[in-house]
């Protein structure tokens, strides 16, 4: 029988954490849930990872660490598995009744119409309705729009017949995850966490758990929806600001101004926060979070958050701009884009990670698919047979060799060393399109390369 933590006083809660007498379930052990579960297990609390992905679960139980691009957690993984503090299962029915606290780290993507899709959370909510006993605490780490937890999710757990009562049979809280892929360990150790709950007495228990595991600042929010609004605000702030510099980049290209020179000087002013132009804004968070806010606001007033709509429009236009730069560079070279070979370097949505979810590269590839060109793709972080319907090359040189043009889409650190001599010596004097700002236009031009860069107005 799980412990009903809401009936304990603060010191009893502390004791159960220190004595490692609590069992924690983490539902969804992907990019965010697995590192979270590993940290909880590493603090000494027995932790069960629950996931529908059978391959992932059997990989974990065979001691094979799955998150190769978050290598910092590998050692913790080996320790907690060998100490039997962490195990994984697909059997939610058996696992949930054993857990005192259950974290939900389930995906919250959006559908083809950019409508947030909360199916995974709602499915689990309905399962919890039949599995929760004795006042267990459920903490939502997933990113959701304000109001979702206290309305749709709460209803799904209580059930249509109200067979469970929130605050009595279970307790619901949020602690939105804010870690950044590629830097999850660093973020776990330094970023403050936000805690909101439906019934106030639970917040201190949730805070005690996170303080015990992560030792970071805990910020108490008045309720769940405010905590979820903070999480969305930080990400949507970035989407809007990137859209602003992307639009400046489009203007500066025409005005003959270098965007990076402008940002570099502007950031000397104390209240300017630098953001940089690029081929679009992807990943599982920023675009989805903007659409989550838009979904919230359209239920209230279609005219609210126009700035977010506009930011999405601009950021979603940028892949087309990349293709336009390519077409422009081909016309300067007096060669035809038709039948040419284009090398694409970097397909993940941001530097130095493996993730290609909602990556701008996908839209660039879709646009190039309509142009009768051959694509040669390489990404040192995404080593697979194919991506977006195209073969992946084994090395930068395999991609570049015999290509008429190179587009650097993602600014992986490996591409900073890109040998411009190789490009300038390749067939037909190569064309180079830089979406990352990492290539010095003067260096490229001085080698006879036909260069275009997003926001590089002084070289057009
Ligand atoms: N990845 C990020 O950068 C990041 C950062 C902060 C917050 N978040 C948020 O965290 C949440 C999780 O994101 P993620 O990137 O870890 O997703 P992910 O896709 O990497 O992992 C989700 C896991 O949930 C599992 N799953 C799906 N449906 C399930 C079900 N019905 N029952 C059990 N398991 C199920 C999947 O198999 C997968 O292993 C999302 O809300 C996301 O917005 C993500």
């Amino acid at each position: 029988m799980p412990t009903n933590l809401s009936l304990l006083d603060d010191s009893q809660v502390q004791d159960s954490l220190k004595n490692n007498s609590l069992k924690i379930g983490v539902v969804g052990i992907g990019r965010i849930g697995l590192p979270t579960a590993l940290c909880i297990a590493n603090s000494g609390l027995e932790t069960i990872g629950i996931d529908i992905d059978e391959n992932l679960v059997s990989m974990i139980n065979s001691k094979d660490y799955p998150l190769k691009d978050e290598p910092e957690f590998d050692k913790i993984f080996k320790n907690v598995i060998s100490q039997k503090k962490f195990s994984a299962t697909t059997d939610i029915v058996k696992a949930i009744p054993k857990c005192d606290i259950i974290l939900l780290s389930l995906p919250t993507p959006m559908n083809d119409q950019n409508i947030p899709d909360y199916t995974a959370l709602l499915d689990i909510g309905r399962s919890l309705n039949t599995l929760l006993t004795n006042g267990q605490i459920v903490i939502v780490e997933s990113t959701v729009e304000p109001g979702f937890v206290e309305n749709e999710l709460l209803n799904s757990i209580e059930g249509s017949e109200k067979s469970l009562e929130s605050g009595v049979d279970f307790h619901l809280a949020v602690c939105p995850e804010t870690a950044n892929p590629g830097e999850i360990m660093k973020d776990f150790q330094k970023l403050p966490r936000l805690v909101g709950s439906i019934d106030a007495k639970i917040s201190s228990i949730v805070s005690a758990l996170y303080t015990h595991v992560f030792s970071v600042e805990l910020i108490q929010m008045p309720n769940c929806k405010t905590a979820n609004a903070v999480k969305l605000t930080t990400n949507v702030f970035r989407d809007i600001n990137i859209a602003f510099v992307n639009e400046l980049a489009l203007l500066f290209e025409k005005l003959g101004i270098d965007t990076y020179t402008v940002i570099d000087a502007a950031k000397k002013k104390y209240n300017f926060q630098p953001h940089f132009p690029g081929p679009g804004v992807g990943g599982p968070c920023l675009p989805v979070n903007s659409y989550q806010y838009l979904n919230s606001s359209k239920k209230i007033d279609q005219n609210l958050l126009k700035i977010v709509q506009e930011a999405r429009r601009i950021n979603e236009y940028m892949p087309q701009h990349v293709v336009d730069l390519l077409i422009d560079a081909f016309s300067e070279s007096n060669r035809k884009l038709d039948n040419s070979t284009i090398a694409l370097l970097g397909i993940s949505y941001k530097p130095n990670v493996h993730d290609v979810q909602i990556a701008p590269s996908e839209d660039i590839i879709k646009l190039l698919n309509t142009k009768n060109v051959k694509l040669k793709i390489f990404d040192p972080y995404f080593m697979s047979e194919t991506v977006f319907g195209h073969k992946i090359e084994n090395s930068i040189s395999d991609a570049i060799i015999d290509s008429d043009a190179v587009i650097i889409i993602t600014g992986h650190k490996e591409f900073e060393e890109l040998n411009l001599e190789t490009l300038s010596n390749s067939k037909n004097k190569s064309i180079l399109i830089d979406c990352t700002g990492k290539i010095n236009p003067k260096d490229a031009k001085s080698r006879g390369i036909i260069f275009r860069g997003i926001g590089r107005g002084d070289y057009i």
Side-chain angles (χ1 to χ4, degrees), residues 27-28 30-32 51-53 56 105-108 120 124 142-143 177 179 181 231 284-285:
V27 188
R31 163 78 51 187
I32 294 296
D51 204 290
I52 42 168
D53 184 339
L56 175 69
S105 188
L106 290 155
T108 48
I124 292 299
S142 297
T143 309
E177 181 52 67
K231 159 78 201 197
C285 292

Side-chain angles (χ1 to χ4, degrees), residues 31 33 39 72 101 147 223 247 259 326 395:
R31 163 78 51 187
C39 289
E72 301 91 338
I101 301 179
N223 45 42
E247 206 160 35
T259 311
L326 180 74
S395 65

Side-chain angles (χ1 to χ4, degrees), residues 3 36 54 74 94 104 162 178-179 187 239 259 271 302 340 384 390 431:
T3 316
T36 303
E54 287 175 10
D74 194 4
K94 268 200 191 148
L104 306 184
K162 298 274 177 251
T178 47
D187 287 350
D239 203 25
T259 311
N271 57 0
Q302 292 280 359
S340 65
S384 172
H390 290 270
I431 288 168

